[in-house]
Amino acid sequence: MISLGIDFESFSQTDLKKAGLHNYATDPSTGVHCLSYGPDPQHVRTWVEGEPFPQDLAAHIAAGGILTAWNAAFELAIWNLCCVCKYGWLPLPIRQVRCSMVRAYAMALPGALDDAAPALGVDQRKDAEGHRIMLQLSKPKKDGSMWRRTPESLDKFLRLYEYNAQDVRTELSCLERLMELSPSECALWELDYKINNRGVMCDLASADKAIAIIQSEQKRLNAEMLRVTGGVVGSCNEVQVLGKWIAAQGVQMDGLAKADVIEALAEDEDVFGIGIGLPPAVCRALELRQEAAKSSTAKLVTMREKASTDGRIRNMHQFHAASTGRWGGRGVQPQNLFRGRPGMKPADIDAMFSLLDDKAMLDLFYGPSMDAITDCIRGMLIAGEGNELVACDFSAIEARGLAWLAGQESVLNIFRTHGKIYEHAAAEIYHVSLNEVTKDQRQRGKVAILALGYQSGVGGFQAMARTYNVKITDEEADDIKKAWRAANQKIVQYWRDLEDAILGAMRSGGVHYAGAAGRQVKFRKAGSFLWALLPSGRALCYPYSELRMVMTPWGEEKEQLTFMTVVDQTQKKKAKVLPDPNSRGRWQRVSTYGGSLAENMTQAIARDLLADAMRFIEAEGIFVVFHVHDEAVAEVQASRAEWALERMTAIMSETPAWAKGLPLAAEGFYAKRYRK
């Protein structure tokens, strides 16, 4: 049976971006202006509010037919949470829905339809003018009432219906050029939908107390900023004004983003190579900016806005958002919740929550209060009444995965025995026995493991060192890099082998391999796309791949793989963006190299290990409510928490058949509050 593409145009008093999909779809004011559907771009029909449900669509669903949609999570929510209640439609099972956007993501293409269509080279396009009208009709009028179809507004609504139909034409045209998901990936997407709709409980009472403290602190910080800058900058968030004031003090900075501020304060002793530090007023202004810009404020407000009437936050994950297949965060984005200050124990976090009613005591024992609240962010996610959260994550999965792919048995044997990988790295770097490794050397070994596996140099090592408060000269960092590479020659060779395999696939066609026997990644060029088949059986995609001569960071001109990808704000500084006539917005051509390719493959198999684990965890009747990178978090009855942790740990420690020889280990906890 053929599938039908569908697309809704909805309306509501509720702001979708602010409130989140679940709250939007369940709001009583939410409804549907129209629904377009069809099997191909030439046969699209439109249902409008007030008409009977289309019989042909009903027959298709009753026969078990598949519906496809771009960002199908939206269509599923509107259908099941709005149309079933408001218009009496029958529920739409997840098993009969497929997401075209996810198929685009799986090919490393843009997720936005108006970006994906030109990237795929289809003739159909979204209607820009219709988009403007859609936005107008989806929101309340100035008097607060919703738009209704009247003789006066008829032209707008007719244009909306055509816009809706054109969206379906564009989606279906894109769909013709997208690879289908494998059955296992379809099943995983269905599990992702269930996890997103379960959501996790939020401690809203504590969130409200924390927001009140933050608002009080922001007033104090803004007042000090005004004083420090001599009345020029009235708020820590006036970034442009602050930047101009800093420049007027004789200090030049690239920007005032988090990384820029951290770098300036870290290099205060000799910021600009002139032998002097920052002027005291500039230093203090940057500290105030840093303090006020803590993500805790935005996170807490987002938690409050996204929480539903039952207190649960839903739709925190975007399936396959990264080109490696890893999930992306949405809304609250659990992937970048602050870990907490070093040394913080669960008892400290519990104590901080108990002091949210007493800011003075919070400041005295755990202050400054903005830092204390940031420490509490993870703990805002809680188990429901009578339940516990059970969290379990893979131990050092990227270090294990990289060594396994490359065949670095010396590292794998460490994980098969005592597991002291940081001490082992330090012992090899400093040529001492494992028992002789000092605490300081262990920290440097840890930085080496985390920073050097993907071909980073001194700059990458120093960036990671700052994260762990390791202070070291560039010369020492370079010595550590050389010593680590000498001790991990299989990994170093893996970087080269990946580049060679890609060059072979691009130049001569056929299948080319990289990696240790039995765990190779296989590369093949097909049309404009380079594919990488992982040991797990899933493939990564490099769209519109080309070989080009590229200048490397170390000053060597070299032929490298280039491909088109979405470059977001977080990638702009580290991505090597190249000029290309097909570039459009964030859709840019970038180059890559062996270390970055090794990172892709490692993170991709780590994702597949988590996916396999979550399937088995669910099969045990343990229901995952969210996940973070390589960690699964379930919610169970308190009486079953210990058993659930044992089962999750056992499942995540068992190596799947496709990863034979990869030693896995997992550890976790159960508690009322989420923590790291």
Side-chain angles (χ1 to χ4, degrees):
M1 178 180 287
I2 61 172
S3 63
L4 296 179
I6 65 169
D7 186 68
F8 281 115
E9 298 302 341
S10 59
F11 60 86
S12 182
Q13 300 274 358
T14 296
D15 186 316
L16 173 60
K17 288 186 178 179
K18 183 179 290 187
L21 179 56
H22 185 268
N23 292 342
Y24 178 87
T26 56
D27 191 272
S29 69
T30 300
V32 173
H33 284 312
C34 55
L35 167 70
S36 289
Y37 62 98
D40 56 65
Q42 290 72 44
H43 300 88
V44 175
R45 298 182 178 182
T46 302
W47 168 90
V48 302
E49 188 181 32
E51 294 179 348
F53 188 78
Q55 290 302 305
D56 56 344
L57 184 55
H60 178 83
I61 296 169
I66 297 295
L67 301 182
T68 66
W70 200 272
N71 188 18
F74 178 82
E75 268 65 31
L76 275 160
I78 294 299
W79 189 301
N80 288 326
L81 301 178
C82 173
C83 295
V84 169
C85 300
K86 195 160 193 167
Y87 307 123
W89 294 8
L90 292 175
L92 179 61
I94 177 65
R95 66 178 180 275
Q96 288 182 243
V97 179
R98 293 292 176 262
C99 183
S100 309
M101 183 180 75
V102 163
R103 285 169 63 171
Y105 274 140
M107 293 178 66
L109 293 164
L113 180 60
D114 52 353
D115 291 330
L120 284 164
V122 303
D123 294 331
Q124 299 287 351
R125 292 287 193 277
K126 284 179 70 75
D127 176 1
E129 175 61 20
H131 182 74
R132 184 188 65 79
I133 291 173
M134 178 275 292
L135 290 176
Q136 181 184 27
L137 299 184
S138 68
K139 301 172 183 176
K141 294 188 282 188
K142 290 182 179 179
D143 63 5
S145 64
M146 298 306 302
W147 287 87
R148 313 305 300 180
R149 189 172 59 180
T150 64
E152 293 76 21
S153 64
L154 181 60
D155 287 346
K156 287 182 182 291
F157 274 85
L158 291 176
R159 187 60 185 273
L160 176 70
Y161 303 152
E162 174 53 31
Y163 167 80
N164 184 221
Q166 180 58 28
D167 261 10
V168 174
R169 295 187 195 103
T170 305
E171 292 170 15
L172 290 169
S173 296
C174 290
L175 197 61
E176 292 172 356
R177 302 192 178 192
L178 294 171
M179 295 279 286
E180 290 190 17
L181 294 182
S182 68
S184 63
E185 285 294 292
C186 285
L188 184 62
W189 178 72
E190 291 182 16
L191 174 58
D192 170 75
Y193 173 78
K194 294 173 183 176
I195 292 171
N196 267 325
N197 280 277
R198 285 174 192 147
V200 63
M201 189 73 73
C202 180
D203 184 352
L204 295 176
S206 293
D208 287 340
K209 294 173 185 177
I211 289 170
I213 291 174
I214 288 171
Q215 290 171 343
S216 171
E217 277 295 279
Q218 286 177 329
K219 289 180 181 179
R220 182 186 67 79
L221 294 170
N222 289 340
E224 187 175 353
M225 178 67 81
L226 187 66
R227 179 185 62 78
V228 166
T229 60
V232 175
V233 185
S235 166
C236 296
N237 294 323
E238 291 180 355
V239 178
Q240 290 185 341
V241 179
L242 179 57
K244 291 178 180 178
W245 177 83
I246 290 173
Q249 311 309 304
V251 177
Q252 298 300 317
M253 294 182 62
D254 292 335
L256 288 171
K258 180 180 179 181
D260 298 318
V261 175
I262 291 173
E263 185 175 358
L265 291 173
E267 298 178 357
D268 187 20
E269 291 301 317
D270 189 4
V271 181
F272 307 106
I274 55 176
I276 59 172
L278 289 171
V282 172
C283 183
R284 183 55 185 155
L286 289 174
E287 289 172 345
L288 291 169
R289 165 67 185 159
Q290 186 179 49
E291 182 71 11
K294 290 187 183 297
S295 61
S296 55
T297 308
K299 286 287 188 188
L300 287 167
V301 172
T302 301
M303 286 178 177
R304 161 49 74 187
E305 291 174 341
K306 296 289 194 290
S308 300
T309 53
D310 61 359
R312 300 186 80 84
I313 301 172
R314 295 174 170 84
N315 300 301
M316 296 196 297
H317 304 284
Q318 173 56 59
F319 186 73
H320 222 304
S323 60
T324 58
R326 278 185 160 177
W327 283 263
R330 295 295 183 266
V332 171
Q333 299 192 35
Q335 286 85 347
N336 61 10
L337 291 173
F338 186 66
R339 297 171 65 93
R341 286 172 287 181
M344 282 291 169
K345 297 179 172 58
D348 295 319
I349 302 298
D350 290 339
M352 282 189 269
F353 272 96
S354 70
L355 292 174
L356 289 177
D357 284 320
D358 192 340
K359 181 180 179 301
M361 289 296 103
L362 184 66
D363 272 318
L364 180 62
F365 285 96
Y366 297 102
S369 53
M370 291 280 273
D371 285 341
I373 289 171
T374 303
D375 290 333
C376 291
I377 287 293
R378 287 175 178 255
M380 295 291 174
L381 302 180
I382 60 174
E385 186 67 30
N387 293 343
E388 296 272 286
L389 293 180
V390 183
C392 192
D393 73 324
F394 291 110
S395 301
I397 189 58
E398 289 198 35
R400 294 168 187 262
L402 175 61
W404 178 74
L405 286 166
Q408 188 69 55
E409 290 297 322
S410 61
V411 172
L412 295 176
N413 286 332
I414 296 302
F415 288 120
R416 291 177 183 130
T417 54
H418 54 73
K420 296 179 179 180
I421 188 62
Y422 302 145
E423 290 87 346
H424 171 74
E428 290 188 316
I429 290 168
Y430 293 103
H431 306 292
V432 298
S433 70
L434 204 65
N435 294 331
E436 293 175 316
V437 172
T438 66
K439 184 177 180 181
D440 183 58
Q441 288 173 336
R442 182 188 184 277
Q443 279 298 93
R444 295 182 181 194
K446 180 176 183 178
V447 171
I449 290 292
L450 297 176
L452 300 179
Y454 302 136
Q455 207 173 348
S456 287
V458 171
F461 184 95
Q462 292 289 42
M464 185 66 71
R466 285 194 290 272
T467 301
Y468 289 92
N469 200 29
V470 172
K471 295 183 179 179
I472 194 170
T473 66
D474 285 352
E475 291 74 18
E476 289 175 303
D478 191 47
D479 288 341
I480 290 174
K481 179 200 75 175
K482 291 174 181 176
W484 183 91
R485 290 185 179 184
N488 293 273
Q489 294 182 27
K490 290 284 188 180
I491 292 175
V492 173
Q493 186 61 46
Y494 186 54
W495 304 336
R496 302 187 187 114
D497 291 345
L498 286 167
E499 290 186 355
D500 290 344
I502 281 173
L503 290 174
M506 294 292 293
R507 287 172 179 161
S508 59
V511 178
H512 294 256
Y513 303 80
R519 58 195 80 158
Q520 299 103 326
V521 178
K522 303 174 184 178
F523 294 93
R524 184 172 186 178
K525 178 83 179 296
S528 299
F529 292 69
L530 176 70
W531 295 88
L533 185 64
L534 300 165
S536 62
R538 185 170 63 87
L540 304 186
C541 184
Y542 295 87
Y544 305 105
S545 50
E546 296 178 2
L547 295 180
R548 290 191 185 182
M549 297 302 294
V550 177
M551 186 63 69
T552 64
W554 52 91
E556 174 190 359
E557 191 175 35
K558 187 177 181 181
E559 191 174 35
Q560 290 186 330
L561 174 69
T562 74
F563 58 97
M564 300 296 291
T565 189
V566 176
V567 180
D568 60 27
Q569 292 297 323
T570 60
Q571 296 171 317
K572 276 188 175 179
K573 285 193 174 182
K574 66 177 184 179
K576 179 73 173 179
V577 178
L578 305 173
D580 192 278
N582 297 313
S583 294
R584 179 178 181 268
R586 296 190 303 158
W587 183 240
Q588 300 285 334
R589 180 167 294 279
V590 301
S591 64
T592 190
Y593 57 94
S596 181
L597 292 164
E599 181 179 30
N600 290 170
M601 306 310 151
T602 304
Q603 292 185 350
I605 66 161
R607 176 270 197 191
D608 292 343
L609 289 166
L610 179 65
D612 284 354
M614 288 199 298
R615 291 187 183 103
F616 286 114
I617 289 168
E618 290 274 328
E620 292 273 352
I622 303 169
F623 300 125
V624 177
V625 291
F626 70 99
H627 45 93
V628 180
H629 297 307
D630 307 307
E631 176 185 47
V633 184
E635 183 176 356
V636 302
Q637 292 178 348
S639 60
R640 301 176 70 231
E642 185 174 355
W643 167 82
L645 178 58
E646 290 176 357
R647 289 303 306 135
M648 289 174 68
T649 303
I651 288 168
M652 294 177 71
S653 299
E654 185 173 347
T655 303
W658 61 262
K660 184 179 179 181
L662 171 58
L664 293 180
E667 57 186 358
F669 66 90
Y670 60 88
K672 187 69 176 179
R673 297 186 184 277
Y674 179 55
R675 65 173 190 259
K676 188 60 182 176

